[in-house]
Amino acid sequence: MIVIGGGLAGLAAGVALAESGWRVRLFEQRPFLGGRATSYVLPDGEHVDNCQHVTLGCCTNLDDFYLRIGAAGKIKYFDRLLFLDPQGRKGEMRAGLLPAPFHLTGSFATFAPLTLLDKLSIARAMLDILRTQGNPADLQENGGISMLEWLRRRSQTKRAIERFWRVVLVSALDEELDRTDARFGVDVFWKAFLSNSTGYRMGVPAVPLANLYDGCKSEIERRGGEVILRVPVRGLKIENGELAGIRFDEAREETADAYVFAVPHTALAELLPESMKQGDPSLANLDKIKVAPITGVHFWFDREVMREPFVTLLDTTTQWIFNKTALYANLNGEGKGPVSGQYLQLVISASYDLLEKPRQEIIDLSLAEVRQALPAARKAELVKATVIKEAAATFSPEPGVDRWRPRQQTAIPRLFLAGDWTATGWPATMEGAVRSGYLAAEALLRSEGTPGKFLQPDLAPDGFIAMWLGKQNSAKNG
C-alpha cells in the first residue's frame, strides 16, 4: 500500500499498517519527515524547529506513537507552567496534593496576574464544565458557537478572558476566541485541566523535531517497506472512476492495493479531479475548511538570559518563550558545561497581523517584549535572529467546522485519508494528526476484513472525578 505524506498523520498510518503486515511505501515531497512538525538546518549548521510543538498529558495517542517509534525518551515533561505579565507579576499552574478536579486550586488561588473577581468568574465557568462533564448544552447549537460567545454567556471578566482563557486556548488551538468553536475550547479544559490531575503536564521535545522520526523510517523499512523522500505527487491516475495509481516526476507511476493520502486538505483539493469529489460529497467541501497561521521567532543571545525552560507571556504579541538551550541539554536536565550563549524560540499562534509585516519589524517587536519580560536580556547582545512564518500552519477550528471534515474512509474504493483536518473529534494538534493516522489504518484494515485496533482511549478521569462518574454510571445501570 502507498502512503502519500510524511507528516505525523502519514507516519502514524504507515507505522500502524506496517505493524499489521502491510508492505508500506511512504512518499514525501520534502527532504525530511515530520511535515509541519519538523525542523531543518540553517546554512550555518544551526538546527531550528519550524515551530515549537508540545504535547500534553492528555494526548494519549501521541504518547503511544512516540512509544512505538522509540522516541518517548526524547520528550521532557514538566509539572509547572509559568506565566508572566508586563508588570512582572508571576502566576503558575502546578498540581498540588488535592485530587482532580481540585489539583490546581492552590496555584490558581495565588495566580497574581488575576484579581479575585477574575478568579471567581473563571471558577463559575469551570463549574459549568464540570457539571456537564465537558459538554454544556449550548455547545450543541446548530452551526456551533464561538468560544468568546460561550465565555460572554458566563459573564467572564475582560481580564479573565484575556489573561486566562485566551492565553491557554489561542496557543492550544491556533485561533482567536471569536473564531474558535466553543466545543474545542471546553474540551481542552475538561481533558487537560479538570478530569485528570496529570492531563495538563506539558511535554517538550528535547531534540530538534526532525530527530523524533528516525524510528518511523526504520520501523517501516524493517518490515519490508520503503520511505522515499523528495518525491512530489504530480497527479492521479483514474480508471473507471477509481484511483488506479499515483503519478510522479519523469513519467513515474506507482500502484498499490490501497492508498492513504496524508496531505494538507488544500493540497488534496487540488489533486482530486471533480469526478472523485462528486463521487464522495464530503470531498467537495474541503475548500470550506480555513487555515490559521503561526509565527516562530528564533533568537540567539551572547549570554544566558533565561533560566526557566519556558514561560508564557501575558498581554503581549509573543505568547511563549522556550529556552531551547536548556531543553536541548541532556535528558537529566544537566548541561554539558557552562552556558556561554543562549538560544530562545518564541511562538505566536493565530499570527494573522504578522503575515504582512517585514521580518525585521517582527524581530524588533519580539525583542522588545523579551527584554521587557527577561531583565537579563536587556544587557545581552542579540547575535542572530530568524523568523519563520507558517501561513497555513493548522486548519482553523471555527464554529461548525466539523461538518466539513471528512472521515478517513472515503466513498472512493481503496482511497483513505489521514490528517488532523479529518474527522477525529480533536482540533489541529499533533494528537489529532496521530489519531487520524490510526483511524485511517483501522478503516483500511476493516475494509480488508482484517480489523485491527490502534486508537487509544482518552486519559481516564482520576480523583474525585473518577468517583463521581463511577457513581453516576452505577446509578444509570441500577
Side-chain angles (χ1 to χ4, degrees):
M1 61 88 54
I2 286 177
V3 176
I4 301 296
L8 272 170
L11 293 172
V15 168
L17 289 167
E19 289 183 7
S20 301
W22 284 74
R23 179 176 178 265
V24 174
R25 287 179 292 155
L26 187 148
F27 295 88
E28 164 58 45
Q29 67 174 351
R30 300 183 185 184
F32 43 77
L33 298 173
R36 290 164 291 161
T38 193
S39 57
Y40 56 90
V41 182
L42 296 176
D44 62 2
E46 190 83 42
H47 289 260
V48 297
D49 296 336
N50 61 343
C51 180
Q52 180 67 64
H53 286 70
V54 302
T55 182
L56 295 174
C58 60
C59 295
T60 55
N61 286 275
L62 183 58
D63 183 56
D64 176 79
F65 176 69
Y66 286 148
L67 284 170
R68 287 179 189 272
I69 64 172
K74 299 177 181 178
I75 308 296
K76 287 183 177 180
Y77 278 90
F78 298 89
D79 297 320
R80 175 175 176 262
L81 310 181
L82 179 65
F83 300 78
L84 183 66
D85 73 10
Q87 292 74 42
R89 290 178 297 223
K90 294 181 180 180
E92 68 175 29
M93 289 187 187
R94 186 206 296 260
L97 297 177
L98 294 175
F102 308 113
H103 53 293
L104 297 172
T105 303
S107 60
F108 181 69
T110 58
F111 197 92
L114 295 174
T115 66
L116 178 60
L117 186 61
D118 302 328
K119 294 171 186 176
L120 289 174
S121 74
I122 293 168
R124 287 196 303 271
M126 289 291 191
L127 184 59
D128 190 27
I129 297 175
L130 277 171
R131 278 196 304 246
T132 60
Q133 299 174 39
N135 192 28
D138 49 354
L139 298 187
Q140 309 308 319
E141 292 184 13
N142 287 337
I145 64 168
S146 75
M147 190 65 199
L148 185 60
E149 172 62 20
W150 190 88
L151 294 171
R152 285 173 173 166
R153 291 181 184 183
R154 283 149 182 85
S155 303
Q156 296 299 287
T157 66
K158 180 178 179 181
R159 188 187 296 258
I161 291 174
E162 289 299 317
R163 290 194 163 191
F164 182 76
W165 300 101
R166 183 180 181 275
V167 168
V168 173
L169 293 178
V170 171
S171 296
L173 303 175
D174 189 30
E175 190 55 280
E176 291 294 346
L177 299 182
D178 61 340
R179 288 184 287 210
T180 295
D181 194 313
R183 187 181 73 77
F184 294 122
V186 169
D187 224 27
V188 167
F189 282 94
W190 171 247
K191 292 178 178 177
F193 294 97
L194 292 173
S195 68
N196 187 290
S197 59
T198 63
Y200 81 101
R201 295 180 69 234
M202 194 163 83
V204 187
V207 297
L209 284 171
N211 293 6
L212 291 176
Y213 312 118
D214 297 338
C216 298
K217 186 174 186 293
S218 59
E219 182 69 12
I220 290 173
E221 292 177 343
R222 185 173 68 85
R223 298 176 183 272
E226 296 178 90
V227 174
I228 305 101
L229 304 176
R230 297 185 176 88
V231 186
V233 173
R234 297 306 184 191
L236 308 182
K237 181 180 180 181
I238 310 298
E239 292 181 353
N240 300 320
E242 295 187 9
L243 180 58
I246 311 291
R247 292 194 174 99
F248 301 95
D249 285 332
E250 299 176 353
R252 176 181 179 181
E253 285 188 4
E254 297 287 346
T255 62
D257 295 327
Y259 304 85
V260 175
F261 276 78
V263 297
H265 65 281
T266 50
L268 183 67
E270 293 178 0
L271 274 175
L272 293 177
E274 286 302 318
S275 61
M276 295 188 79
K277 293 178 183 178
Q278 293 171 5
D280 185 340
S282 69
L283 300 178
N285 296 315
L286 297 178
D287 61 341
K288 293 183 171 64
I289 304 175
K290 299 175 184 176
V291 296
I294 296 178
T295 298
V297 183
H298 303 256
F299 286 157
W300 288 265
F301 289 97
D302 67 341
R303 68 194 73 177
E304 183 181 47
V305 300
M306 175 179 177
R307 293 287 179 89
E308 298 286 345
F310 50 81
V311 64
T312 305
L313 301 187
L314 306 178
D315 300 341
T316 55
T317 298
T318 302
Q319 294 153 358
W320 288 80
I321 305 175
F322 287 89
N323 181 349
K324 302 294 280 191
T325 299
L327 291 166
Y328 284 172
N330 67 50
L331 295 184
N332 293 324
E334 300 292 332
K336 295 180 179 179
V339 176
S340 56
Q342 194 165 46
Y343 166 31
L344 305 181
Q345 181 175 356
L346 286 55
V347 178
I348 306 165
S349 298
S351 55
Y352 296 97
D353 293 343
L354 301 185
L355 289 178
E356 301 303 321
K357 289 186 183 296
R359 281 170 166 73
Q360 189 58 51
E361 185 176 341
I362 296 171
I363 289 171
D364 293 342
L365 168 66
S366 300
L367 182 59
E369 292 181 344
V370 168
R371 286 179 167 156
Q372 170 68 23
L374 306 176
R378 297 168 194 171
K379 295 182 179 180
E381 179 185 350
L382 182 64
V383 177
K384 181 174 62 175
T386 189
V387 176
I388 300 175
K389 299 179 183 180
E390 292 275 352
T394 68
F395 78 86
S396 173
E398 64 178 358
V401 70
D402 274 354
R403 64 189 142 169
W404 312 124
R405 298 170 73 182
R407 297 177 66 84
Q408 289 75 30
Q409 184 167 5
T410 72
I412 310 300
R414 304 189 300 161
L415 174 61
F416 300 85
L417 306 177
D420 57 10
W421 50 271
T422 62
T424 66
W426 277 62
T429 60
M430 293 197 294
E431 169 73 7
V434 172
R435 282 174 174 256
S436 76
Y438 284 177
L439 288 169
E442 291 181 2
L444 193 157
L445 293 174
R446 278 197 311 271
S447 72
E448 294 294 319
T450 57
K453 181 69 175 175
F454 294 99
L455 193 69
Q456 303 298 305
D458 285 338
L459 189 65
D462 66 7
F464 287 135
I465 294 289
M467 295 169 57
W468 176 50
L469 293 178
K471 289 180 179 179
Q472 286 195 326
N473 290 334
S474 296
K476 290 178 182 178
N477 295 332

